Amino acid sequence: MIPASWFVIFAMTVFATAAYGALTRKNILLVFFCVESMVMAASLIFIALAKTAESQIFVLFAWVISAGDTILALAIFLYMMKKAGGVELDKIKNLKW
Amino acid sequence: MLDVVFFAMASIFGLCSLAMMINAKNTMHAAIYLALFFSSTSILFALMGASLLGIVQFLVFVGGIIVMVVIAIMLGGSTLEKEKNDFKMFILAALFLVASIPYIPAGGETVSFSLAEVSEAFSQYGFLASIAGLTLFSSLVAAIYLLRRDA
Amino acid sequence: MTAYLAPLPLFIGFFAIILGKKEHAAKVAIASAFIALIVSLSGVFLRTEVSQEWFMTGPLGFEFGFQLDELSMFMLPLVAFITTLVFIYSTEYLAEKEDLKRYYACMSLFALSMMLIILSNNLLMMFFAWELVGLSSYLLIGFWYEKKSASKAMRKAFTIITIGDIAMFAGMAILLGTFGTLNFEAINGARTPAALGAFLLLIGAFSKSAQFPLHVWLPDAMEGPTPVSALLHSATMVKAGIYLMARIYPLLETSGLLPILAWVGMISILLSATLALAENDVKRILAYSSISHLGFMTFGLGIGAYHASLFHMFNHSFFKAMLFLVAGMLIHQSHSQEIQKIFFGDKKLALVALVGVLALSGVPPFNGFWSKDQIIEAAAHNHVSPIFYPLVLGATFLSALYIFRWFLVPYKNSGHAHFGNRMFLPVALLSIFVLTTGFLMNPFYEWFEGEAEFHIAGAIPSGAMILAAFVLAYAVFWKGAIKSDAFINNPLGRFVHKALVNRYWFDVLYEKIFTTIVIAFSKMMHTFDIVFIDGLVNGAGKAGLLLGKISGLADAYVVDGAVNGIGDVLKMWGEMFKRLVTGFVQTYMAWVVGGILLLIFFLRYVTI
């Protein structure tokens, strides 16, 4: 059997990498993909340290929520493509002081 | 023994696909790399003993989410600029790894569940599952509204 | 009725004239003067003192009282009599268009205050009456105040009189300190010398009687109407000084001030006699003559001839008043005041004038001779200085000379006389008195419980002088034997003439001193005002401005600074913190990540 700590280390690495990607990338879809990856890493850790079966149900509910925000993210992406023609995040500065 | 090999392969595969996704040339490539990442995590879920979750993930994410993303990319366009790497954020992200070190458990084994236990748990939460479906439905409605033609 | 009520009719008359109509003014005045005459005659033989306590301050008491003794009882009817005659004369002398109400009111005021001087029994009351006399003389000299010379003259008179008044007040204060009372009987009876106080009183007396050096006001006082001169400057007001000296005579004796009197008197006689010779105004000659005869009286008091001086005071009133009234008649008919231009025009007028002239020069049997001779005889045996006898003889010569000139020069002129009975009859009445009062010498001396001595031998030198003067006057002024050109062509003569015309430059000197003092004082006051008063006021203003400025600065810097400082600090923080809002979503994510890391560290390491 694989010790749980290996899963945790792997999941943390994924989380850190995805966090770096979320903070750095300019394309909105890429940022969104990294956020999804962070959610997956979190659920990996959750299951790795789980003792009962209800933890899987919990993770499912978390996926449902992340799927919901996936839909909205894609809708926003399409909306932005239609309106502004570009989805570079550093070009969107309407709320800048 | 085989577990370790599978684990090593899946983990390396996942990390590499993640790294490729971050440095992808265009968004379609990024979506594909994301699909690969999801599949590697699915394998890992299975290795952990949550086989139901592994299967559900592959079906939902790769089969549903990634498809949706691909369609959206096809509708929207998939150009991607070359990006430079930011060192400050790298440090910030690396801090996460540092922060997590004390939380790594000493040892312990992952618990695997049989199908009977899982289905019994599911039957308790069936009602809540349909509520969660309504959440998805509401986000669908919101997406439709956002993308109506005369907006 | 007792004699001290004599001022009362005049007092009532004063108010009646002011409140009444112009036409009645003269009648009221004459009536009140006549009633005063009768009242004063009624008590002429009384010897009492009536006194009423006025107010007390501590141990000092001031009284309001009348003293009826031999000194006051011969002056009082004299004043009332001459006042009455002058009032009758003024009805014709002053034209209807003059301000008669003011004239008679001032004259009545004068008469009543003169009587108060005579009647008062203490120095304080006499001082009040003295001031009133000075005031009424000021008003009367400047009766025609529209004339510039008249207003100048009235101011000059008042200035000199005020100097005398100040000295008199100071003397009164010193005497009060020395004796503790101001009552004449007490002061005279105390037999203690009080030289300074008495001397200051003497200065007051000199100012009133126009003695050297305070004589300069009397010639200019002739700007007033002639009746005023007749009453004030011959018979009554100028006598007030002599009267005061007579009142405090025992005090002067014990204080040893009599030699001063003698010298001042003698200098006044010679000074005014010489000045009269160069004067051409008919009234001014008589004014100098008044100074001269007052000098005789002062001199007489100084050498101890008390009764002689008082007798001369009595006689002088009559002939001087008469001569002034005659001068008034001459001016009235000639419309000029210079002796070269006026004329007698009528034998009657010339006759009465001659009577006065002879009386003044001291020719027997006119009244002037008797009293003047007494003084000359006393001068022969005086204890003060041996030079007085020759000087007094020279004075006799000079006084005869100028008065003969006064008569002879107009006598040569001819003209048409016109005067009425109301002007002539008082003059005639006075001339009768002039002829007769000389023979009252013995009764007069006995009045004072004295003894009169008369030596024919003593009269000879003075008689010789008068005769010589008459010869000279006749030669020069009547016949014209010696022309005045001889006098002028001589340089010494020219200098003497210039000195006399300029009145020995006393007027010029006094004016210079006075104006210098006044200007210096006013300059000092001006400096004081500018430096201190204005400085204070401006300083207060500047202090106020300064306070305002400080307050403004405090407001601008401190208060506004605090308020603006708070605003600036907040603005600075706002500027600092607004940079957080980049609009760039990954910045926010970075902050979130940082916060989560912090939370993790906090949970793991800080808390247990």
Side-chain angles (χ1 to χ4, degrees):
Chain A
M1 296 301 312
I2 301 157
S5 54
W6 290 18
F7 285 110
V8 172
I9 294 169
F10 168 73
M12 285 314 294
T13 316
V14 164
F15 189 83
T17 316
Y20 172 75
L23 291 171
T24 321
R25 300 295 112 185
K26 284 202 206 57
N27 195 332
I28 196 173
L29 275 180
L30 231 43
V31 168
F32 169 66
F33 292 163
C34 296
V35 168
E36 284 297 311
S37 312
M38 277 200 277
V39 171
M40 292 311 296
S43 50
L44 267 176
I45 294 175
F46 201 79
I47 299 296
L49 302 174
K51 300 286 188 288
T52 62
E54 268 127 8
S55 53
Q56 299 181 16
I57 310 295
F58 182 79
V59 167
L60 267 175
F61 281 112
W63 285 350
V64 163
I65 302 300
S66 77
D69 80 68
T70 305
I71 296 167
L72 287 171
L74 289 174
I76 288 172
F77 164 73
L78 286 172
Y79 186 78
M80 273 170 66
M81 286 305 283
K82 201 165 39 159
K83 280 286 180 210
V87 284
E88 274 71 46
L89 279 177
D90 52 355
K91 300 284 190 311
I92 300 165
K93 289 209 181 150
N94 289 347
L95 285 179
K96 187 177 157 86
W97 63 270
Chain B
M1 185 61 202
L2 209 59
D3 299 337
V4 178
V5 171
F6 276 137
F7 172 76
M9 276 168 52
S11 58
I12 290 170
F13 191 56
L15 281 172
C16 288
S17 64
L18 197 60
M20 294 300 288
M21 182 187 84
I22 289 174
N23 297 317
K25 274 199 293 235
N26 59 24
T27 33
M28 193 59 85
H29 289 192
I32 300 301
Y33 290 132
L34 189 65
L36 288 175
F37 172 72
F38 282 154
S39 48
S40 74
T41 54
S42 157
I43 294 169
L44 282 173
F45 274 123
L47 279 173
M48 273 195 269
S51 42
L52 173 68
L53 231 51
I55 297 300
V56 166
Q57 170 168 353
F58 207 92
L59 282 172
V60 166
F61 276 87
V62 180
I65 304 284
I66 296 295
V67 169
M68 205 168 52
V69 164
V70 166
I71 291 171
I73 289 171
M74 282 200 294
L75 282 173
S78 65
T79 55
L80 199 65
E81 282 180 16
K82 189 74 176 94
E83 300 180 26
K84 57 184 192 326
N85 292 322
D86 195 351
F87 189 66
K88 272 190 294 198
M89 300 307 169
F90 184 71
I91 298 294
L92 202 63
L95 274 177
F96 266 118
L97 276 177
V98 172
S100 68
I101 289 172
Y103 289 99
I104 301 172
E109 299 281 331
T110 53
V111 181
S112 60
F113 301 95
S114 66
L115 191 64
E117 292 168 0
V118 175
S119 57
E120 195 195 309
F122 257 104
S123 59
Q124 273 186 323
Y125 294 99
F127 182 64
L128 287 173
S130 39
I131 302 290
L134 281 175
T135 315
L136 273 178
F137 181 68
S138 68
S139 66
L140 191 65
V141 168
I144 290 169
Y145 175 75
L146 194 60
L147 292 171
R148 66 190 190 282
R149 192 166 307 178
D150 56 344
Chain C
M1 282 187 292
T2 38
Y4 57 82
L5 291 174
L8 192 59
L10 286 164
F11 187 66
I12 298 170
F14 174 69
F15 284 109
I17 292 168
I18 291 179
L19 299 169
K21 287 202 229 170
K22 189 171 157 180
E23 303 84 57
H24 303 315
K27 297 197 195 94
V28 169
I30 295 172
S32 58
F34 191 67
I35 294 171
L37 175 62
I38 293 175
V39 168
S40 57
L41 279 172
S42 72
V44 93
F45 290 106
L46 283 175
R47 298 285 176 269
T48 59
E49 185 179 343
V50 177
S51 168
Q52 170 67 39
E53 209 173 82
W54 195 5
F55 62 92
M56 303 275 290
T57 59
L60 302 172
F62 297 106
E63 54 184 341
F64 183 76
F66 298 108
Q67 182 156 6
L68 313 171
D69 62 358
E70 50 272 4
L71 188 58
S72 55
M73 280 300 112
F74 86 88
M75 278 298 284
L76 198 63
L78 176 70
V79 169
F81 180 59
I82 296 191
T83 308
T84 318
L85 291 179
V86 166
F87 278 170
I88 297 174
Y89 181 90
S90 335
T91 52
E92 193 173 320
Y93 186 79
L94 289 177
E96 277 300 308
K97 63 172 165 59
E98 303 280 359
D99 193 353
L100 289 175
K101 267 173 70 169
R102 186 159 53 100
Y103 176 77
Y104 284 111
C106 290
M107 291 286 257
S108 302
L109 181 68
F110 166 78
L112 83 91
S113 39
M114 185 69 207
M115 285 188 187
L116 279 176
I117 289 185
I118 293 170
L119 284 170
S120 56
N121 76 338
N122 60 66
L123 266 173
L124 186 64
M125 195 170 142
M126 184 186 260
F127 184 70
F128 284 130
W130 192 273
E131 296 272 1
L132 271 179
V133 165
L135 172 71
S136 34
S137 106
Y138 164 78
L139 291 170
L140 284 166
I141 292 171
F143 183 67
W144 292 312
Y145 56 82
E146 287 96 0
K147 244 182 9 163
K148 215 156 173 243
S149 53
S151 70
K152 237 180 110 174
M154 75 199 275
R155 280 202 304 268
K156 189 175 186 176
F158 201 68
T159 310
I160 306 277
I161 287 171
T162 308
I163 293 173
D165 283 344
I166 294 170
M168 196 167 156
F169 196 78
M172 264 169 60
I174 293 175
L175 286 177
L176 185 65
T178 315
F179 292 106
T181 175
L182 291 172
N183 191 311
F184 283 126
E185 290 212 351
I187 291 177
N188 286 333
R191 295 275 148 201
T192 45
L196 184 60
F199 180 68
L200 289 169
L201 284 183
L202 277 185
I203 294 179
F206 290 159
S207 79
K208 258 295 188 297
S209 296
Q211 297 301 290
F212 173 85
L214 297 167
H215 64 280
V216 292
W217 64 274
L218 194 52
D220 290 316
M222 297 299 118
E223 296 286 340
T226 311
V228 168
S229 308
L231 186 56
L232 269 67
H233 306 127
S234 58
T236 40
M237 181 180 114
V238 294
K239 300 283 168 48
I242 312 289
Y243 183 79
L244 173 64
M245 287 193 273
R247 261 269 182 255
I248 58 172
Y249 191 72
L251 178 66
L252 293 174
E253 249 186 317
T254 41
S255 308
L257 293 173
L258 291 178
I260 298 179
L261 276 149
W263 279 108
V264 167
M266 181 49 72
I267 295 173
S268 305
I269 299 170
L270 293 173
L271 196 77
S272 49
T274 47
L275 284 173
L277 284 171
E279 188 58 58
N280 287 331
D281 185 312
V282 59
K283 276 168 60 175
R284 280 218 179 92
I285 296 177
L286 291 177
Y288 284 121
S289 165
S290 291
I291 302 177
S292 186
H293 280 269
L294 289 163
F296 260 107
M297 293 173 225
T298 315
F299 172 71
L301 282 176
I303 58 173
Y306 180 74
H307 305 116
S309 303
L310 291 178
F311 192 43
H312 194 60
M313 186 160 85
F314 186 67
N315 290 333
H316 173 263
S317 311
F318 291 109
F319 63 71
K320 194 44 73 63
M322 190 185 81
L323 283 172
F324 264 111
L325 292 179
V326 166
M329 286 162 71
L330 292 175
I331 294 170
H332 194 73
Q333 70 192 18
S334 319
H335 302 290
S336 162
Q337 289 196 302
E338 291 181 36
I339 53 174
Q340 282 83 7
K341 295 204 177 69
I342 56 176
F343 53 87
F344 286 101
D346 192 322
K347 281 274 187 279
K348 280 192 299 195
L349 189 55
L351 189 63
V352 292
L354 188 63
V355 168
V357 164
L358 291 175
L360 193 148
S361 54
V363 173
F366 301 98
N367 62 356
F369 162 70
W370 300 102
S371 48
K372 213 166 170 186
D373 187 65
Q374 289 286 311
I375 296 177
I376 294 170
E377 260 189 76
H381 321 113
N382 81 82
H383 306 292
V384 182
S385 168
I387 203 176
F388 278 153
Y389 189 59
L391 283 179
V392 90
L393 286 178
T396 316
F397 174 76
L398 285 172
S399 83
L401 186 63
Y402 69 67
I403 202 63
F404 285 133
R405 172 171 176 261
W406 185 86
F407 181 74
L408 288 173
V409 173
Y411 195 62
K412 284 203 311 194
N413 301 336
S414 56
H416 176 64
H418 96 93
F419 51 84
N421 274 338
R422 270 182 286 166
M423 280 211 274
F424 186 69
L425 282 178
V427 176
L429 191 59
L430 279 172
S431 67
I432 293 171
F433 270 86
V434 167
L435 281 167
T436 53
T437 54
F439 301 108
L440 289 174
M441 188 161 84
N442 269 327
F444 191 84
Y445 275 59
E446 274 159 25
W447 180 278
F448 286 93
E449 280 130 40
E451 194 63 41
E453 292 173 9
F454 178 63
H455 308 114
I456 293 282
I460 292 178
S462 58
M465 286 288 131
I466 295 167
L467 198 61
F470 178 68
V471 168
L472 184 61
Y474 186 74
V476 176
F477 301 117
W478 184 254
K479 287 289 188 207
I482 306 170
K483 292 280 189 210
S484 53
D485 301 341
F487 200 62
I488 298 293
N489 288 338
N490 191 355
L492 179 66
R494 254 205 301 276
F495 174 74
V496 169
H497 182 74
K498 208 159 105 167
L500 290 178
V501 167
N502 286 325
R503 302 184 193 169
Y504 292 111
W505 295 290
F506 273 115
D507 278 340
V508 176
L509 178 69
Y510 285 159
E511 194 162 327
K512 254 207 177 29
I513 293 174
F514 194 67
T515 50
T516 318
I517 291 175
V518 168
I519 287 173
F521 186 66
S522 59
K523 275 205 181 118
M524 194 174 78
M525 282 290 114
H526 180 254
T527 319
F528 178 74
D529 185 39
I530 295 288
V531 170
F532 286 111
I533 309 294
D534 283 3
L536 271 174
V537 171
N538 288 347
K542 279 191 191 135
L545 271 175
L546 187 67
L547 274 175
K549 271 203 189 117
I550 290 175
S551 169
L553 281 176
D555 188 44
Y557 284 111
V558 175
V559 175
D560 285 0
V563 171
N564 288 346
I566 293 175
D568 285 342
V569 164
L570 288 175
K571 192 168 151 198
M572 186 179 69
W573 283 353
E575 295 265 325
M576 269 188 347
F577 286 127
K578 78 177 173 189
R579 281 161 222 281
L580 285 178
V581 184
T582 56
F584 189 43
V585 82
Q586 279 155 340
T587 321
Y588 307 148
M589 284 206 299
W591 283 106
V592 169
V593 164
I596 290 174
L597 283 172
L598 221 61
L599 191 65
I600 293 169
F601 276 118
F602 184 74
L603 280 174
R604 182 70 182 92
Y605 292 109
V606 174
T607 59
I608 305 299

